Amino acid sequence: MNEDGTGLLTIGELARLTGVPVKTIRSWSDQDLLPPAARTPAGYRLYGPDAPARLEIVRSLRELGVGLTAIRSVLHRERTVAETAEQWADALDAQIRTLRLQSAVLRSVAARGSAAEELPYMTELARLSARERRRIITDFVEDALDGVDAPAYRSGLLAATPDLPDDPTPEQIGAWIELAALVREPELRAALRRLAEYSARTAPPAGEPDAKSEPYAPEERHAPGASHTTTEPRTAAAPDPAMQEQAAQEQAAQGQAAARVAELMRVRGEAAVAAGIAPDSPAAEPVIAELVAAWLPTQTGTADPPTEDNPAARARLLEQLETAAEPVVERYWQLLCTVTGRPAPPRWDTAGAWTTAALRAHPRPYGLDRSAFDGTDPDRVLRAYEQVTRDVAALVAAVRPEDLALPTPCAGWSVRQLLDHMVWENLMATSIAEDAPRDDHTADHLGDDHRAAFDDSVRAALAAFTGSGMLRRTYGPYEAPGAMIVQQVVVELLAHGWDLARATGAPTGLAPEAAEETLAAARRIYGAAPRTEGSSFAPERPTPPGASATDRLAAFLGRDPA
């Protein structure tokens, strides 16, 4: 209150009382938000006792982003505070969405390393309506599948539309921008066309009921290979509601069965990898037999469906898995899931690689001889590992940097690739012993010092074998002995040590104390396994008279010791 006792405040006093700058009060007064109650004879503004409260209302609304015109409507009682708050909240939401859109585009540009010329196109993509986004996917699908008689597969693709939510996250917008770029790639079009052609090729003849089904959109499939067609009417007869209902129920049941089989394949494949079961070892056969038995009922609606586990059935399952193994298609569905906010399906790469390799190695069923699991003395296995790694480590230590590029007898690998694989064998066995199986097979495990990498991997493996009880435990659903898994590592290291010796010109008679029993173990473990395209080993080769046990091991595993 000013000193003349009138109860009026000067603009300076009002500023000191409220903390609002004089310049701001004057501006709001000029815009009729805070009219003065009177003026002094000299023309200076005076404000009444209600001015501080009114000023606080104006300041609060401004801090919330409300415009001056809207504040004036509230103060003049033309609109309520609630009405104005709702209006401005909506406006702020729209502004936030715009800012998120701008942020997502900028982050996508930064992540993709986009050129300046791409920026307008990416911005336009982010601003498209839902209808425009669907049109991009529809045109892409129709073009990719043009001329392919696969209506069910086409319908599944078209049903999965990139519907962004009303308030998309930057990740969703970025996924949409990447998806829109991906559908322009010829690689994706070709991959989807191959899948559609497979669907058309395996559909039942016209007029036959299609009991096999796929009621889910393709991105909801847990793993490839269980189903590729959907129930579709193949006659011109008018639909019968009762028959349609029955078909829908059968379709749902078949789809659920296919999803269970796909999940079983994923679980069993990942468990086999975790247990260190080599795809071409005897321990893989019962896993494959279980998967084939579960998969057979899902094929009843296909052309010429298999009814029992035999070479033809395994060949068909392998074909399904290989057909579905399209990384670019998997990326397509991952992006669609991100855009729409659906949970992404579990990754199939680890289980898929193991299962396809096991099917190639075991093209026909055979009874598992569990004697392959027997006769493995943990103590002797540990001594064999120590003796083999001692001699192989000496070979590794003699490898010069210029030797790393030399070719080896093993699968076209260079010396460096061979050494990296040997280190990986040790690391993988260590991780199995520690119940934390690794999945970084394609990483570089050698680094800049191949000698240290190999020595460190051996020390870690020995510590894990003795400290975890692995040598006396069992692993996997078929209880493969841990000692046998370690013995597989011994076989691998001795065989690859032979490869390294041949590549570098060193003597091949490695670990003579352990070589004979390692050869016997290899014959016991791998003797019944087919020597096929998917096997790690070629057919056995002859050995010259007087060959060492290591040379004979190499010949048994398909190397030429001559």
Side-chain angles (χ1 to χ4, degrees):
M1 181 180 296
N2 63 359
E3 296 178 354
D4 62 6
T6 63
L8 300 177
L9 297 169
T10 66
I11 194 170
E13 291 169 335
L14 183 58
R16 288 192 294 273
L17 185 63
T18 62
V20 179
V22 169
K23 183 178 179 181
T24 301
I25 297 175
R26 185 179 295 114
S27 173
W28 288 350
S29 291
D30 291 342
Q31 296 180 70
D32 199 25
L33 300 176
L34 191 70
R39 288 183 178 268
T40 66
Y44 293 107
R45 306 176 216 223
L46 296 173
Y47 295 93
D50 64 335
R54 188 181 181 98
L55 188 58
E56 286 297 332
I57 293 172
V58 175
R59 177 163 61 179
S60 297
L61 290 172
R62 287 299 292 148
E63 288 177 349
L64 290 171
V66 180
L68 296 178
T69 301
I71 294 175
R72 189 181 303 111
S73 297
V74 171
L75 295 175
H76 291 181
R77 308 209 186 284
E78 296 170 356
R79 294 176 64 90
T80 66
V81 171
E83 292 171 337
T84 302
E86 183 176 8
Q87 174 190 357
W88 280 89
D90 291 342
L92 284 174
D93 286 343
Q95 184 179 4
I96 290 169
R97 285 194 293 271
T98 300
L99 290 172
R100 283 181 173 171
L101 173 65
Q102 294 169 346
S103 173
V105 172
L106 291 171
R107 290 192 182 281
S108 183
V109 168
R112 293 164 57 89
S114 303
E117 293 77 12
E118 295 181 271
L119 188 57
Y121 173 70
M122 294 175 67
T123 303
E124 179 184 355
L125 280 176
R127 290 175 175 167
L128 292 178
S129 66
R131 182 177 181 180
E132 290 168 328
R133 289 193 301 272
R134 284 194 292 270
R135 172 53 57 187
I136 287 178
I137 299 301
T138 299
D139 290 347
F140 157 68
V141 171
E142 295 294 353
D143 179 62
L145 274 57
D146 183 40
V148 180
D149 183 21
Y153 192 75
R154 178 183 281 102
S155 297
L157 290 172
L158 293 176
T161 55
D163 294 326
L164 281 166
D166 293 335
D167 189 16
T169 65
E171 290 76 16
Q172 288 175 308
I173 296 173
W176 160 243
I177 291 173
E178 183 180 344
L179 179 64
L182 185 62
V183 299
R184 300 166 67 190
E185 295 295 329
E187 181 185 2
L188 176 61
R189 292 170 185 255
L192 285 180
R193 189 174 184 87
R194 286 192 294 271
L195 290 172
E197 289 171 344
Y198 180 83
S199 177
R201 189 169 67 252
T202 57
E208 291 188 8
D210 184 358
K212 184 169 70 69
S213 61
E214 184 176 77
Y216 311 111
E219 80 277 9
E220 293 173 327
R221 202 180 297 132
H222 292 289
S227 177
H228 288 282
T229 60
T230 305
T231 300
E232 288 287 335
R234 293 183 175 271
T235 67
D240 182 314
M243 292 181 64
Q244 284 185 325
E245 176 63 24
Q246 180 181 357
Q249 292 176 356
E250 292 176 353
Q251 178 180 352
Q254 286 285 335
Q256 291 167 4
R260 286 194 296 270
V261 171
E263 178 65 5
L264 178 66
M265 288 184 179
R266 185 185 67 82
V267 170
R268 288 289 186 263
E270 291 181 353
V273 172
I277 297 174
D280 52 6
S281 71
E285 166 57 26
V287 181
I288 292 301
E290 179 188 8
L291 297 181
V292 173
W295 165 82
L296 284 171
T298 69
Q299 302 304 295
T300 55
T302 63
D304 189 22
T307 58
E308 63 179 356
D309 185 356
N310 56 30
R314 294 193 176 200
R316 178 177 290 196
L317 176 55
L318 177 60
E319 181 188 21
Q320 287 188 6
L321 295 176
E322 291 177 331
T323 301
E326 298 278 6
V328 67
V329 175
E330 182 179 3
R331 183 58 181 163
Y332 175 81
W333 293 120
Q334 287 173 344
L335 290 171
L336 263 177
C337 288
T338 301
V339 169
T340 59
R342 298 180 183 180
R347 293 186 63 87
W348 171 248
D349 47 359
T350 298
W354 186 91
T355 306
T356 52
L359 280 166
R360 293 191 199 101
H362 303 275
R364 59 186 58 83
Y366 65 91
L368 175 64
D369 181 4
R370 287 196 66 88
S371 65
F373 290 178
D374 301 332
T376 306
D377 183 325
D379 295 329
R380 293 183 68 86
V381 169
L382 184 61
R383 283 197 298 273
Y385 181 85
E386 292 171 335
Q387 291 164 4
V388 168
T389 53
R390 177 200 63 203
D391 283 13
V392 172
L395 280 179
V396 173
V399 172
R400 302 166 300 176
E402 57 267 30
D403 296 333
L404 294 174
L406 292 173
T408 72
C410 187
W413 283 348
S414 67
V415 167
R416 192 185 197 287
Q417 291 168 314
L418 182 70
L419 291 175
D420 185 86
H421 177 74
M422 294 164 72
V423 170
W424 159 256
E425 288 285 347
N426 285 323
L427 295 177
M428 185 63 188
T430 301
S431 68
I432 292 170
E434 296 171 345
D435 296 317
R438 303 172 68 104
D439 59 2
D440 59 342
H441 182 269
T442 58
D444 177 13
H445 307 98
L446 213 56
D448 298 328
D449 190 339
H450 59 274
R451 302 175 184 88
F454 184 80
D455 291 343
D456 290 346
S457 72
V458 170
R459 280 192 292 271
L462 280 171
F465 297 161
T466 56
S468 66
M470 178 183 187
L471 292 164
R472 289 174 170 79
R473 292 168 58 191
T474 60
Y475 293 82
Y478 298 96
E479 299 184 344
M484 191 189 78
I485 295 173
V486 177
Q487 198 156 51
Q488 286 178 290
V489 178
V490 175
V491 173
E492 285 273 329
L493 292 177
L494 187 54
H496 290 316
W498 185 92
D499 293 328
L500 180 60
R502 289 296 293 265
T504 58
T508 57
L510 305 172
E513 316 97 300
E516 286 287 357
E517 62 185 76
T518 302
L519 173 58
R523 292 188 181 279
R524 185 176 68 251
I525 296 172
Y526 299 113
R531 301 299 180 98
T532 63
E533 177 187 353
S535 175
S536 298
F537 318 122
E540 185 174 0
R541 306 291 291 271
T543 55
S548 70
T550 309
D551 288 334
R552 284 182 278 125
L553 172 67
F556 172 70
L557 299 179
R559 275 79 160 173
D560 184 2

